[in-house]
Amino acid sequence: MWQQVYDPLGSFALSTVAAGIPVAVLLAALAFFHMKAHLAAGLALLVGIGIAGFVFGMPVAMAGKAAGYGVAAGLFPIGWIVLNIIFLHRLTTLNGYFKALQNSISGVTEDRRLQLLLVAFCFGAFFEGAAGFGTPVAVTGAILIGLGFSPLAASGLALIANTAPVAYGALGAPVLALSAVTGLDLLQLSAMIGRQLPFFSVLVPFWLIWAFAGFRGMREIWPAILVAGVSFAVPQFIVSNFHGPWLVDVIASIVSMGSLTLFLKVWKPKKIWTSTAIVNRHDTSMDDIAANGASAAAVEANAGAASISMVRAWAPWVILSVFVFIWGTPAFKKIMDGLWAWKFAIPGLDQMVVKMPPVVSKPSPEAAVFNFNVLSMAGTGILVSALTAGLMMGYSFTRLLKEYWETIKLVRYSLLTICAMFGVGYLTKYSGLDATLGLAFAHTGMFYPMFGTLLGWLGVALTGSDTAANVLFGSLQRTTAEQLGLPPVLMAAANSSGGVMGKMIDAQSIVVASTATKWYGHEGDILRYVFFHSIALAILVGFLVTLQAYVAPFTHMVVR
């Protein structure tokens, strides 16, 4: 067995710098050296194995197994989701259904800002609540690029919109995981997060439109933005405080979509915004689409879109919503796992890595069991919905198999990138690099409410999942809060609430966005665009948590 070491260099500052090198290599390779994402991730993985083995003392063979475990976890379930959602998108694009869907959205409003609200914020929140794990960015990014938004706008804005709902994504999975690792009451955690995020559920739609259309463009449609935000935030608060974490996003998104659609029947902006590029930014991403041109098949499909009714156009996505929701319910997952699920304990890694105090209260061996529960994975629900929708749209089984193979070829580099990114994330987890970074935040004393929130942000940026970040740092948040005399429920909740703002810069989400918008090889451009928005919103969450800790302690009380 190998015990994690958090200060191998005898200087916590130097050890922290060393722990951050793999992440720094990944971000620099993407953002500044413009490397292809799969090469950047591969380089970061090799550097990470070197740091883990030769600086932190992890056996190199064990480090390699941790990376391999991450690669497998990246392919299933995340890569599985991406592959199948792109397959459905491809099917609807080839026969004109997707063009008809775009026309139906344009029928609600021709204003691009309002389309962005409906698709990226409202519709995306539903998929976050039902499935999570990259599904909303894949769906909304594909729809936005189909509506004519530039690839940078479709990618970046889909990521910005997919923030406020994340803490309750996949039917409350992040909150359930947080309760499990901290031992804190589930309903108290749900309620506390529900007293932090509703402020941002109102703010994020304004921020989203400001990022796209500038302040003046945002001001022109502020009533609609307010309707979308408030109609999401109020149900989010009520359900999280009086029911629990399971249906928060599903209910809030349905209320928000319905409220905004009804509002737009009685209110119209004075000026229709028609541009699909980001304002006040040299956005050349449209040139990439123009350079590729339109295939003959796509032109033929667009020509046939006029004969497809709105009901038929939405049918594949309604089918997707139904299957994703069913696959997300715990009872259905249990049934599927009962039919077949394969668990493989990684030899030489499972129970062989020991987390040590002060990260945990006592030495705790880490499990490393790959759970290949493919029947209950959200990606399988998406695949079943794609096949069902494909048959409904008139595809033959032979044609479906052909298009599935074409989809695999289309996203092969994206899948490779996702796997490598997860390899980096799992390596940092098992080697203790992430814990060293976390402990650096824990040494901030009275400023911990701010830095503890940013720790959650860092956790999601590293792992790509609010659920994983809660598992990673939840116990540390509770331990540190108790040592500093802060409410443990507050800081555990802050880990999840701060984490949602890291979702837009995690490498996996960026790869999903670039794949969904077919803007391959531009992950660095997307990262540079969303980074400011991510850190700025995370700091605002930190300010709110600081106020809750020192100025408004009544917010610690939980409504029962």
Side-chain angles (χ1 to χ4, degrees), residues 400-419:
L400 288 173
L401 288 174
K402 177 180 179 296
E403 296 305 335
Y404 198 75
W405 175 244
E406 292 298 323
T407 305
I408 292 174
K409 292 194 295 184
L410 183 69
V411 302
R412 62 189 185 279
Y413 288 117
S414 297
L415 295 179
L416 182 62
T417 303
I418 291 170
C419 290

Side-chain angles (χ1 to χ4, degrees), residues 137 140-142 144-145 149-161 278 504 509-510 512-519 522 526 529-530:
V137 173
T140 60
L144 289 175
I145 198 72
F149 282 78
S150 74
L152 179 61
S155 303
L157 297 172
L159 289 166
I160 293 173
I278 298 172
M504 69 180 87
S509 292
I510 290 175
V512 170
S514 67
T515 304
T517 57
K518 301 179 182 179
W519 201 35
H522 290 273
I526 299 171
Y529 172 65
V530 298

